[in-house]
Amino acid sequence: MQRFLAVLMMASVIALPLPLRAETLFLTLDPQHTHVMFSVMHLGLARTHGTFDKVEGRAVVDRNRPESAVVEVSIDVASLDSGLDARDANLMGGSWFDAEDHPRMNFVATGFDPSGESAGLLTGDLTLRGVTRPVTLDVTYNGSAGDPFSSRKTRHGFTATGVIRRSDFGMDFGLDFVGDEITLTIDTEFLQDTDD
């Protein structure tokens, strides 16, 4: 791999090293191979886990300036699945995600700081419930492979982890029984057209 490039997801969404032929790469997040997972402490006793199942995103990467990559990821809030329908319905309400007024959460990358050939810190702005706050994700590039169903596409895999505080986004209901810190884990694949 010649270069480590910043490109999600869930969140996400992230960074990758690529042997590039074109000056600019256009990458598309594969929603069928993207998992945005979260967990939060309940009563300080155990973590409750969930996922967001509808994610889309893209990245535009200049091979000569990977730190300036354009990365955008959007998540359908209503696709939340915590394994309990009644809890999911409650989380859509105004005390939590307020999905009726804010149906999507969005992430836009603002920078990347490599810490090795296949890892680094991705910074960006996360908008949730109409509030935008900076977030940082630890990103690992897992490698690349040809798409088994298309000889013209290459897949690039990433894992990203991070922690946000829900109260930073105005979601401060129930802090005495549901934790403030939300742990995020994003596993994703981006598709690159090999004609790029």
Side-chain angles (χ1 to χ4, degrees):
M1 294 299 173
Q2 296 178 348
R3 187 178 292 271
F4 190 68
L5 302 177
V7 287
L8 278 214
M9 207 319 21
M10 229 333 78
S12 58
V13 278
I14 302 183
L16 71 159
L18 295 173
L20 303 174
R21 292 178 297 167
E23 291 297 318
T24 303
L25 282 181
F26 298 89
L27 305 174
T28 303
L29 181 147
D30 180 1
Q32 296 180 339
H33 293 91
T34 296
H35 304 277
V36 178
M37 300 163 280
F38 68 89
S39 67
V40 60
M41 287 298 294
H42 177 249
L43 295 175
L45 300 175
R47 305 194 73 85
T48 296
H49 295 257
T51 62
F52 289 96
D53 297 330
K54 293 183 179 179
V55 187
E56 57 189 37
R58 70 182 188 96
V60 181
V61 183
D62 182 339
R63 69 170 179 171
N64 296 316
R65 298 180 63 238
E67 69 281 357
S68 66
V70 175
V71 184
E72 300 173 355
V73 176
S74 184
I75 297 173
D76 182 351
V77 171
S79 71
L80 182 149
D81 183 359
S82 71
L84 184 64
D85 289 345
R87 178 170 54 214
D88 295 348
N90 183 47
L91 288 171
M92 293 300 100
S95 296
W96 300 95
F97 283 93
D98 194 13
E100 183 174 353
D101 290 332
H102 305 287
R104 305 196 72 82
M105 70 177 82
N106 299 295
F107 174 85
V108 178
T110 57
F112 177 71
D113 182 15
S115 59
E117 292 185 357
S118 60
L121 294 178
L122 181 71
T123 56
D125 291 328
L126 177 65
T127 301
L128 172 61
R129 287 175 51 99
V131 179
T132 301
R133 294 284 185 268
V135 299
T136 301
L137 300 172
D138 288 294
V139 177
T140 300
Y141 175 61
N142 300 321
S144 64
D147 190 306
F149 302 105
S150 173
S151 61
R152 295 180 60 250
K153 293 189 180 295
T154 299
R155 290 180 172 271
H156 303 276
F158 313 90
T159 299
T161 60
V163 177
I164 64 172
R165 292 184 179 273
R166 61 184 179 93
S167 60
D168 288 345
F169 300 89
M171 195 185 300
D172 53 10
F173 176 78
L175 288 172
D176 54 341
F177 58 90
V178 177
D180 192 17
E181 290 191 347
I182 310 296
T183 299
L184 303 173
T185 302
I186 302 107
D187 283 303
T188 185
E189 295 180 14
F190 275 80
L191 286 168
Q192 172 202 353
D193 192 318
T194 53
D195 287 341
D196 287 346

